[in-house]
Amino acid sequence: MIERHIDINRFDYDLPDGRIAKFPLAERSSSKLLVYRGGEISEAHFADMGDVLPAGQLLVFNNTKVIRARIIMHKPSGARIEVFCLEPHDPADYERAFAVTGTCQWSCIVGNLKKWKEGYVEINFEHEGRPEHLRAWIAENRGREHTVRFEWSAAMTFGQLLEHLGRIPIPPYLNRESEQIDYTRYQTVYSKFEGSVAAPTAGLHFTPELIEGMK
């Protein structure tokens, strides 16, 4: 039986800010590992993964890279608007969406939407010594998500624009802005192809040495 009216307060719990690991450990595989085996719970470290898993197990790795999907833009009036790119809309596949120049459309979540009822938001920036701009309009309101049309003046692909202007979308419960360390540590060591807006967090603890040792 499906419960159609769910009280989200039933899922509320206290999470003190001091118990949140806001920054990664110096060594990826030093994170703690919870092991459940034979009805018993024990604690290890991620570096022990090769000893914990039985021989012959199949591991499937998601090798997509996290894109710099958060773009902080402003209305001409100064209001701060956050545009979070979820997936390409036109062109509709990632490869073409990252390679396109001039204009494109993405499905986005918009922060501070109440301040953006009409008109465009923008970022003014410099590229190769010239003043440039990126502007965005809401093309379609689809409830939680919106189709956003981007247009830009620089001779850059949209993928290059995201690398230049975007931010890594770290989890909101960290209660901080993304920093330089996140651009490398919020990617898995085996990521290859752009196409994710959130890292598969368990994969962040693998190191090349651990993967080689498990083979």
Side-chain angles (χ1 to χ4, degrees):
M1 180 178 178
I2 299 176
E3 186 174 351
R4 300 190 180 278
H5 301 286
I6 298 176
D7 180 8
I8 63 173
N9 291 321
R10 291 166 55 186
F11 301 91
D12 192 24
Y13 60 91
D14 182 46
L15 180 58
D17 196 60
R19 300 294 294 175
I20 299 174
K22 292 181 178 291
F23 291 92
L25 296 175
E27 175 59 38
R28 287 177 181 263
S29 60
S30 296
S31 300
K32 290 182 179 179
L33 179 69
L34 184 71
V35 180
Y36 178 82
R37 178 182 290 149
E40 298 292 330
I41 293 176
S42 60
E43 187 178 284
H45 288 88
F46 209 87
D48 304 321
M49 180 69 78
D51 300 323
V52 170
L53 286 178
Q57 295 299 298
L58 172 67
L59 297 183
V60 180
F61 291 88
N62 176 349
N63 64 357
T64 53
K65 285 184 179 180
V66 179
I67 63 174
R68 300 190 183 191
R70 289 177 60 230
I71 311 175
I72 308 302
M73 310 186 77
H74 290 85
K75 291 198 67 178
S77 63
R80 182 182 190 269
I81 308 294
E82 179 174 323
V83 181
F84 189 162
C85 297
L86 293 177
E87 60 181 1
H89 182 75
D90 182 22
D93 66 86
Y94 281 97
E95 185 175 357
R96 288 192 300 149
F98 289 134
V100 74
T101 59
T103 184
C104 64
Q105 294 188 33
W106 280 64
S107 295
C108 302
I109 293 177
V110 178
N112 204 17
L113 180 63
K114 63 182 181 295
K115 295 286 188 180
W116 188 15
K117 296 299 184 184
E118 59 184 16
Y120 64 84
V121 295
E122 66 180 347
I123 301 178
N124 293 300
F125 62 100
E126 187 174 290
H127 178 64
E128 295 183 346
R130 295 188 298 272
E132 307 285 2
H133 66 262
L134 167 66
R135 291 177 178 170
W137 291 259
I138 294 179
E140 184 182 1
N141 185 330
R142 297 188 287 116
R144 179 176 178 269
E145 297 178 16
H146 296 74
T147 302
V148 174
R149 184 179 86 253
F150 296 97
E151 295 182 5
W152 58 97
S153 59
M156 305 169 72
T157 66
F158 192 67
Q160 290 170 331
L161 267 181
L162 289 181
E163 282 293 308
H164 190 61
L165 301 174
R167 306 183 185 189
I168 287 285
I170 60 177
Y173 57 78
L174 294 182
N175 294 323
R176 66 174 176 84
E177 287 291 341
S178 55
E179 299 187 14
Q180 191 61 38
I181 189 175
D182 300 311
Y183 294 114
T184 53
R185 291 301 300 276
Y186 207 64
Q187 301 280 9
T188 59
V189 297
Y190 45 79
S191 61
K192 292 182 179 179
F193 309 104
E194 285 88 355
S196 177
V197 297
T201 50
L204 296 176
H205 307 299
F206 282 98
T207 65
E209 294 77 17
L210 175 57
I211 294 173
E212 190 61 32
M214 291 174 67
K215 290 179 181 179

